[in-house]
Amino acid sequence: MWNFERRGRAVGPVAAHVPAPGQRLAGSRFVTHYGPVPQFKPDHWDFRVFGATATRVNHSFTLKEVQGLPASRLSADLHCVSKWTVPENDWGGVLASDLLDIAPPAADVTHVMVWAEYGYSANLRLDDLADGRAILATHNHGERLSPEHGFPLRLVVPHLYGYKGPKWVRGMEYMTADRRGFWEERGYHNVGEVGREQRYSYQEEPGEGPVL
Ligand SMILES: Nc1nc2c(c(=O)[nH]1)N[C@H]1C(S)=C(S)[C@@H](COP(=O)(O)O)O[C@H]1N2
Ligand SMILES: [Mo]
């Protein structure tokens, strides 16, 4: 359950924690990821938007430029597919939909691969990044993200399991066909909707993911 504030204006109701199917509550210290926490290198850091962009030209943002984009907030539970839920996060950052407006995809784009440090990736339907459903977060509960939670930038998509939200995110690739990301290639559901308990790839219906 979640609400959001777009560019400083409340757009949704203030949500309380609502249990999701098959999940149990974890403490706020819950941290999970594959591999080590990457070191932030300010001189080399950029955020790239590439692939099938509307102009066929790639976009690149420095951290300062990302921080200068319209700020929004999104409150939401974080659901890990391993059945732990961290309730009521308060994410601050740039709505994915605002970034899609600033660096638009071509008309035939259907999916987006979100890339992070060390080659971690997650594929999403373009619609999953639509208005108010996803945020590129720089803050949680008003504080800068900590290194283990994804500093300086992470994606949060509350209606999808946590593996769909890369920490230490570095780019978005616009795609005209679907392709599996890191966990989607390793047995996790290609769509990953929390409300439908889409946890594992063996649950996929025809059309929900590229052939394995
Ligand atoms: N780069 C990267 N991002 C990642 C992961 C990862 O392994 N690497 N794990 C994901 C998973 S499975 C979850 S549940 C959340 C956990 O976020 P947290 O550690 O901030 O609680 O991060 C997601 N983002
Ligand atoms: Mo997870």
Side-chain angles (χ1 to χ4, degrees):
M1 191 58 185
W2 43 283
N3 69 92
F4 71 98
E5 198 182 272
R6 185 169 190 209
R7 302 183 177 191
R9 281 172 47 210
V11 190
V14 174
H17 165 70
V18 171
Q23 297 290 116
R24 52 186 184 270
L25 290 188
S28 58
R29 292 208 302 273
F30 178 87
V31 174
T32 186
H33 51 261
Y34 179 83
V37 174
Q39 210 198 329
F40 173 59
K41 300 197 177 89
D43 295 342
H44 300 280
W45 196 94
D46 58 4
F47 180 82
R48 290 188 195 185
V49 182
F50 59 101
T53 61
T55 56
R56 303 288 156 172
V57 173
N58 298 345
H59 304 260
S60 175
F61 301 84
T62 63
L63 187 55
K64 260 217 166 82
E65 287 169 335
V66 171
Q67 289 163 339
L69 297 176
S72 296
R73 288 173 92 123
L74 172 58
S75 303
D77 298 343
L78 184 131
H79 306 289
C80 176
V81 73
S82 69
K83 305 200 170 177
W84 292 104
T85 287
V86 181
E88 296 176 22
N89 294 278
D90 166 20
W91 305 104
V94 181
L95 289 184
S97 56
D98 281 339
L99 199 74
L100 293 171
D101 289 343
I102 292 159
D108 54 347
V109 168
T110 56
H111 293 80
V112 179
M113 190 73 80
V114 177
W115 289 99
E117 301 286 358
Y118 298 141
Y120 185 88
S121 60
N123 57 313
L124 297 113
R125 299 166 299 195
L126 184 59
D127 284 353
D128 289 319
L129 301 177
D131 216 5
R133 304 183 85 200
I135 192 164
L136 285 151
T138 53
H139 289 73
N140 193 4
H141 298 296
E143 307 233 336
R144 213 175 77 164
L145 292 179
S146 62
E148 66 271 23
H149 286 299
F151 178 80
L153 192 66
R154 77 176 294 173
L155 180 68
V156 176
V157 193
H159 66 285
L160 304 180
Y161 287 116
Y163 60 91
K164 292 290 190 180
K167 304 192 273 193
W168 315 297
V169 68
R170 290 290 302 275
M172 295 197 318
E173 177 188 356
Y174 294 147
M175 307 193 293
T176 54
D178 200 4
R179 219 167 71 218
R180 288 176 191 269
F182 182 85
W183 286 120
E184 296 82 359
E185 274 186 335
R186 290 168 175 78
Y188 289 94
H189 199 286
N190 187 61
V191 177
E193 275 190 33
V194 174
R196 294 184 177 173
E197 279 209 78
Q198 294 177 326
R199 295 179 194 271
Y200 309 109
S201 53
Y202 66 73
Q203 297 172 287
E204 287 172 20
E205 305 281 347
E208 286 182 339
V211 177
L212 272 166

